Amino acid sequence: MIKEVDKYETYYNELPYKFEAGTPNIADVVGFGASIDYLNDVGMSAVRAHELDLVKYAMRRIKDIQGMTIYGPKQPSDRGGVIAFNLGDIHPHDLATIMDDHGIAIRSGHHCAQVLMRKLQVSATSRVSFYIYNTKEEIDLFVQALDDARRLFKI
């Protein structure tokens, strides 16, 4: 960070301050604090219970879909609010595009886990995740969009 600037010279602050890029990101720190307060008010046990309820519901809804491969623990209590999967031979990027057309955001790709993808012998996976703002009705819409993708790709 600069200590002083005049017409012909710049004076840098002493170490370690001279390496700061400028004003610290105060607004995001304040927002982060508000997020922590919100989660403390909700209670992390309530967050986990809701997340687990949604994962259980989603796993029940998708486990018998033709062509569905679910990766990770089979017991919802052994996983977080994330389900990695593949649907038949639909490439995850294509599936993400179809889901987006339905207003549903999923992740697709190798998720920075190329070693795991090689172990699973897949090029990529799709990933849906749930949190306190998600509902079972949204999971139902997700399943409907999966059915539309299956019809489109004739699975």
Side-chain angles (χ1 to χ4, degrees):
M1 185 179 267
I2 305 295
K3 185 174 186 174
E4 186 179 333
V5 176
D6 67 27
K7 188 173 180 179
Y8 298 104
E9 291 202 50
T10 300
Y11 302 94
Y12 294 93
N13 209 341
E14 60 191 47
L15 288 173
Y17 310 107
K18 78 182 221 174
F19 295 116
E20 288 185 11
T23 305
N25 190 358
I26 296 167
D28 283 349
V29 171
V30 171
F32 183 58
S35 299
I36 291 170
D37 291 343
Y38 174 77
L39 289 173
N40 282 334
D41 288 345
V42 171
M44 292 309 292
S45 60
V47 170
R48 175 62 180 148
H50 181 70
E51 179 183 79
L52 184 57
D53 186 45
L54 293 178
V55 169
K56 285 179 184 176
Y57 183 75
M59 296 278 285
R60 277 196 311 271
R61 292 292 320 272
I62 67 173
K63 70 180 176 69
D64 294 326
I65 293 176
Q66 183 178 343
M68 179 64 70
T69 302
I70 299 172
Y71 302 100
K74 299 301 179 208
Q75 289 295 328
S77 59
D78 292 335
R79 58 170 63 235
V82 177
I83 301 172
F85 66 95
N86 275 318
L87 184 56
D89 60 358
I90 304 174
H91 192 281
H93 293 152
D94 293 332
L95 184 61
T97 299
I98 293 165
M99 301 305 263
D100 182 57
D101 289 343
H102 286 78
I104 298 168
I106 64 169
R107 293 292 311 235
S108 64
H110 53 71
H111 316 293
C112 299
Q114 293 95 329
V115 173
L116 176 60
M117 296 297 132
R118 283 192 290 277
K119 174 89 172 151
L120 296 173
Q121 298 181 338
V122 297
S123 63
T125 63
S126 296
R127 189 174 72 191
V128 62
S129 53
F130 312 107
Y131 200 53
I132 56 177
Y133 40 73
N134 293 116
T135 66
K136 289 180 179 176
E137 292 78 20
E138 290 171 325
I139 294 170
D140 293 338
L141 294 172
F142 167 70
V143 172
Q144 288 173 3
L146 290 174
D147 287 340
D148 288 348
R150 286 182 56 250
R151 279 193 292 283
L152 180 66
F153 282 87
K154 298 178 177 28
I155 293 178

